[in-house]
Amino acid sequence: MTSTTRTNRTRATRRRTAMAAAIALAAAIALVGCSSANDGLAAQYGKGNTQNYISGTGAVTEVAVDKRTDPIDFTAKSMDGDELSAKAMRGDVVVINFWYAGCPPCRAEAGYLNTVQDEFADDDVHFIGVNVRDEAGTAKAFERKFGVDYPTVLDARSGTMQLALSGDIAPNAVPTTIVLDKKGRVAARVLGAVDGPSILKTLVDDELTGKAS
């Protein structure tokens, strides 16, 4: 083997080694960045009772007026491209339902949510769906099948709505329905499926008419 051949092979080996090191370094940087983002997300969402979505039991939590914390703040786009802003809805009651298409309890409660929405169609009440898992095609197919006509936010990638509601009364199960009072504060939560329209109707009516204590 000539000295020129050995030199070329040595250079090629060094190039491969350098390239491998660069790839490893880039991967390490990416992992650090991803870890930092996820740690921050977990820390914020971890303010709730759990960090993972689980199956809820339909338990209702009501927050006394004098125990309610700061207003919820969010700005998000619906699937139709409309901007949904918490501040723009101040003065109205807001019902936020967290769901995804493959969730059996979400399917079971869809009709009840529609019924309550229809009940308050002429009042200052807004319904918002928050899809925590699906892409637009799957979410729209669900809405067509179950006649959902209120706006839905696709939240799987950004987590905007989930983080906005990540306080002590958080959407820690799918489905979860949260009622915001006229000041934008969490007033009540149904953790799990809405089992009929009466409970949600009462929760909304209490906030709309000022009956909540």
Side-chain angles (χ1 to χ4, degrees):
M1 182 182 299
T2 67
S3 60
T4 301
T5 301
R6 284 196 297 270
T7 299
N8 289 340
R9 288 186 176 179
T10 299
R11 288 175 178 172
T13 300
R14 287 175 178 172
R15 282 196 298 269
R16 287 194 296 271
T17 301
M19 184 176 296
I23 292 172
L25 179 60
I29 292 171
L31 285 173
V32 169
C34 182
S35 176
S36 297
N38 287 340
D39 288 347
L41 182 65
Q44 292 180 70
Y45 193 67
K47 293 177 183 177
N49 296 327
T50 68
Q51 293 184 11
N52 299 311
Y53 279 112
I54 58 174
S55 177
T57 61
V60 177
T61 300
E62 295 183 70
V63 184
V65 174
D66 62 349
K67 300 296 183 182
R68 295 175 188 177
T69 55
D70 295 335
I72 300 301
D73 188 30
F74 62 81
T75 300
K77 290 279 188 180
S78 73
M79 284 197 295
D80 295 328
D82 297 324
E83 183 175 276
L84 303 175
S85 166
K87 290 181 179 178
M89 298 178 192
R90 296 283 194 268
D92 298 341
V93 177
V94 181
V95 179
I96 306 174
N97 176 254
F98 292 80
W99 66 281
Y100 66 90
C103 156
C106 301
R107 294 169 173 264
E109 72 171 2
Y112 301 138
L113 291 167
N114 292 340
T115 297
V116 179
Q117 185 208 18
D118 290 342
E119 180 75 22
F120 295 100
D122 297 326
D123 298 303
D124 296 325
V125 178
H126 303 275
F127 274 68
I128 300 173
V130 178
N131 188 297
V132 301
R133 185 172 296 185
D134 303 319
E135 297 295 332
T138 302
K140 287 181 178 179
F142 178 99
E143 293 185 339
R144 287 193 299 269
K145 181 174 182 179
F146 293 97
V148 178
D149 62 4
Y150 48 83
T152 289
V153 174
L154 297 178
D155 208 47
R157 296 186 181 184
S158 68
T160 297
M161 298 296 291
Q162 295 166 78
L163 286 175
L165 275 298
S166 63
D168 293 332
I169 312 296
N172 295 325
V174 175
T176 287
T177 302
I178 291 179
V179 179
L180 304 183
D181 65 17
K182 293 181 180 181
K183 294 183 179 180
R185 304 171 302 180
V186 174
R189 176 187 67 181
V190 181
L191 190 65
V194 172
D195 187 17
S198 60
I199 292 177
L200 182 57
K201 179 182 175 182
T202 298
L203 294 174
V204 173
D205 187 65
D206 285 351
E207 296 308 318
L208 192 62
T209 60
K211 294 178 183 176
S213 58

